[in-house]
Amino acid sequence: MTNPYTLEGRTALVTGGAQGIGAAIAQGLVEAGARVFVCDRNAEIGEATAKDLGAEFVAADVTDSASIDAAVEHVVATAGSLDVAVNNAGIVHNHPSEDLSDEDWRRVMSVNLDGVFYSCRAEGRRMLAQGSGSIINTGSMSGHIANRPQPQSAYNAAKAAVVHLTKSLAGEWSHRGVRVNSVSPGYVGTELTKRGMNNEEWRTAWIEGTPMGRVAEPREIAPAVTFLASDASSFCTGTDLVVDGGYTVW
């Protein structure tokens, strides 16, 4: 019987793949047999990560639609197809909403929502043309709940939109061979959460609010993405797979 989890012979693109969850996802896809392109706007870190993983690097700024269009074209021109795309690039801004500036609101939205749409659109065009593909967007448990005690309304709103965008695209594209799903992590030990983990009040609330009593490691998120990328999830589309240590059960 063929292993449904293998990605042998497939080409994958991971945005925000230079570090943290993105790098772990890229590693997981490499280990599953895919030819992986690490995509990031930080070329220095991205190239080093790609080299360490046995992957390839392509530069792009997901907030610039022409940039991500070019990255997708590069992958297809180089590898011949795009079979798996993981849209993981994201930022967070913790600031009381009543004082949140227009610029900070737009900065979060431009990366976390606009960037995901631009990426999906570019990837979707290629996958629809070839009649197959799997897109996985990085959502967040923050798309389902409002985090505490830190204020982050822009991040929460953007991630909720990503989850619903995923469902919307799944409805449009699945009958044409392209599956679209999302993975929603809880608190993960990365650069994005370092500030919070260094804040005793935040760290205590995060840990006590998670039934498993800890934050995840990036490598614990990667297998969920590999599953959704592979034929093991062939009947999954529009699914949001929450990997949060139980945080959203309370």
Side-chain angles (χ1 to χ4, degrees):
M1 180 178 178
T2 302
N3 178 6
Y5 294 93
T6 185
L7 295 175
E8 291 286 346
R10 301 185 194 182
T11 301
L13 172 69
V14 182
T15 73
Q19 56 189 336
I21 294 174
I25 289 170
Q27 181 177 358
L29 297 176
V30 168
E31 291 174 352
R35 179 177 180 179
V36 176
F37 287 79
V38 170
C39 180
D40 206 279
R41 67 178 183 176
N42 189 320
E44 182 179 358
I45 299 175
E47 288 174 352
T49 298
K51 183 178 179 180
D52 287 345
L53 297 179
E56 298 163 70
F57 176 74
V58 58
D61 179 350
V62 298
T63 67
D64 179 349
S65 63
S67 178
I68 193 65
D69 286 348
V72 169
E73 291 302 314
H74 170 79
V75 171
V76 174
T78 303
S81 67
L82 177 61
D83 307 296
V84 175
V86 183
N87 300 313
N88 174 74
I91 60 173
V92 67
H93 185 74
N94 301 114
H95 203 78
S97 295
E98 68 272 19
D99 297 323
L100 188 65
S101 68
D102 293 355
E103 292 76 18
D104 285 333
W105 171 269
R106 276 292 349 136
R107 185 167 63 93
V108 172
M109 290 294 169
S110 67
V111 177
N112 293 8
L113 180 55
D114 298 348
V116 171
F117 174 72
Y118 296 156
S119 298
C120 285
R121 183 175 62 187
E123 298 149 0
R125 285 169 176 163
R126 280 296 174 179
M127 291 179 179
L128 290 167
Q130 67 193 25
S132 64
S134 177
I135 296 173
I136 303 100
N137 297 322
T138 299
S140 172
M141 68 175 185
S142 303
H144 299 274
I145 52 94
N147 302 65
R148 60 184 179 90
Q150 75 277 16
Q152 52 182 56
S153 61
Y155 181 87
N156 295 353
K159 290 300 186 179
V162 166
V163 172
H164 205 63
L165 173 64
T166 297
K167 295 178 183 295
S168 299
L169 296 178
E172 288 189 45
W173 294 346
S174 294
H175 71 288
R176 297 164 66 188
V178 179
R179 297 187 297 113
V180 189
N181 294 289
S182 58
V183 170
S184 284
Y187 291 116
V188 184
T190 66
E191 287 296 316
L192 202 65
T193 57
K194 181 180 289 185
R195 177 183 170 219
M197 290 300 289
N198 289 332
N199 180 311
E200 184 176 354
E201 179 191 6
W202 292 14
R203 183 178 67 252
T204 299
W206 294 0
I207 298 301
E208 291 183 351
T210 303
M212 293 185 73
R214 62 179 180 85
V215 300
E217 297 180 27
R219 63 177 177 80
E220 294 180 287
I221 308 302
V225 176
T226 301
F227 164 69
L228 290 173
S230 73
D231 291 343
S233 63
S234 59
F235 202 55
C236 293
T237 196
T239 295
D240 181 49
L241 182 50
V242 180
V243 188
D244 67 350
Y247 190 97
T248 55
V249 305
W250 286 342

